């Protein structure tokens, strides 16, 4: 297992150890030269997954009114956390996946563009929102999602990522934001 580059000071070290102990590294996936970090072992271990949700709930308790899960693995993290905290969940989807009316933001990819969308009526005006996803890479998906949530009238209070790939510079897209990356590579 590759050691993380850094540990996030903003989340309990116990969560970092938990996630690290449940990662599977797959070399050369999805293409040669890429080291894929798979969170499936964490999700399939019921006790570990519950411990993660409980640790995140303790960390965000009283600070947020809703959780925005980003498609698709962000949904897996957001749903149980929202239930545990007794707050609503907002689904931020890739373009063309939600029935209208929707608002959307296009963002740049290395080659081309992508789009994130949400249904604005699912966002409570003035709500304090936690944005959650599995990986922060370039930051495009997170930045687009934050823009949508704010367009809909809420404020993004925190951003939580299980893993951050620091070499890809995603934090630059999120400057001025609190980013809680549990493990930073």
């Amino acid at each position: 297992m590759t050691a993380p580059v850094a540990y996030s000071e903003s989340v309990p070290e116990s969560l970092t150890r938990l996630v690290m102990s449940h990662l599977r590294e797959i070399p050369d996936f999805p293409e040669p030269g890429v080291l894929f970090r798979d969170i499936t072992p964490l999700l399939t271990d019921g006790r570990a997954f519950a411990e993660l949700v409980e640790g995140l709930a303790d960390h965000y308790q009283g600070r947020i009114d809703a959780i925005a899960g980003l498609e698709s693995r962000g949904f897996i993290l957001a749903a149980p956390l929202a239930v545990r905290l007794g707050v609503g969940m907002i689904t931020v989807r890739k373009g063309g996946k939600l029935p209208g009316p929707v608002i959307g933001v296009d963002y740049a990819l290395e080659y081309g563009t992508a789009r994130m969308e949400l249904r604005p009526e699912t966002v409570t005006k003035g709500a304090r929102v936690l944005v959650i996803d599995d990986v922060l890479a370039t930051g495009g998906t997170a930045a687009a999602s934050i823009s949508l949530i704010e367009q809909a009238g809420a404020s993004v209070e925190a951003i939580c990522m299980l893993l951050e790939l620091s070499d890809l510079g995603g934090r630059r897209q999120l400057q001025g934001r609190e980013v809680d990356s549990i493990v930073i590579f």
Side-chain angles (χ1 to χ4, degrees):
M1 178 72 58
T2 305
V5 172
Y7 294 95
S8 179
E9 295 178 11
S10 58
V11 294
E13 189 178 328
S14 60
L15 291 182
T16 302
R17 285 192 308 270
L18 175 71
V19 171
M20 282 298 296
S21 69
H22 288 83
L23 277 182
R24 182 174 72 129
E25 292 185 339
I26 305 164
D28 299 319
F29 182 82
E31 59 187 54
V34 173
L35 178 61
F36 183 80
R37 292 181 174 96
D38 181 18
I39 65 166
T40 303
L42 175 66
L43 302 175
T44 60
D45 181 332
R47 286 186 182 157
F49 192 23
E51 186 178 335
L52 174 69
V53 170
E54 195 61 35
L56 291 173
D58 289 346
H59 188 67
Y60 293 108
Q61 183 74 48
R63 297 174 48 199
I64 59 170
D65 305 308
I67 301 172
L70 308 187
E71 188 168 341
S72 69
R73 286 173 288 214
F75 298 167
I76 297 167
L77 302 168
L81 184 55
V83 169
R84 169 58 183 78
L85 290 173
V87 301
M89 181 184 150
I90 302 162
T91 55
V92 184
R93 307 264 342 243
K94 295 174 182 169
K97 304 278 186 167
L98 289 170
V102 298
I103 57 175
V105 170
D106 295 321
Y107 62 98
L109 298 171
E110 187 176 0
Y111 300 102
T113 62
R115 183 172 180 84
M116 296 300 286
E117 295 178 340
L118 68 74
R119 294 180 53 208
E121 73 277 1
T122 64
V123 178
T124 301
K125 298 222 183 298
R128 300 168 300 162
V129 177
L130 166 66
V131 171
I132 193 165
D133 204 2
D134 63 328
V135 177
L136 175 61
T138 65
T141 300
S145 300
I146 290 165
S147 176
L148 288 170
I149 292 161
E150 291 176 343
Q151 282 180 48
S155 65
V156 174
E157 292 299 309
I159 303 156
C160 179
M161 302 288 171
L162 284 188
L163 310 175
E164 179 178 342
L165 307 177
S166 60
D167 288 350
L168 298 178
R171 275 188 192 254
R172 286 192 300 272
Q173 295 275 347
L174 308 174
Q175 286 184 353
R177 306 276 182 180
E178 177 184 342
V179 180
D180 297 331
S181 294
I182 296 174
V183 179
I184 303 169
F185 291 98

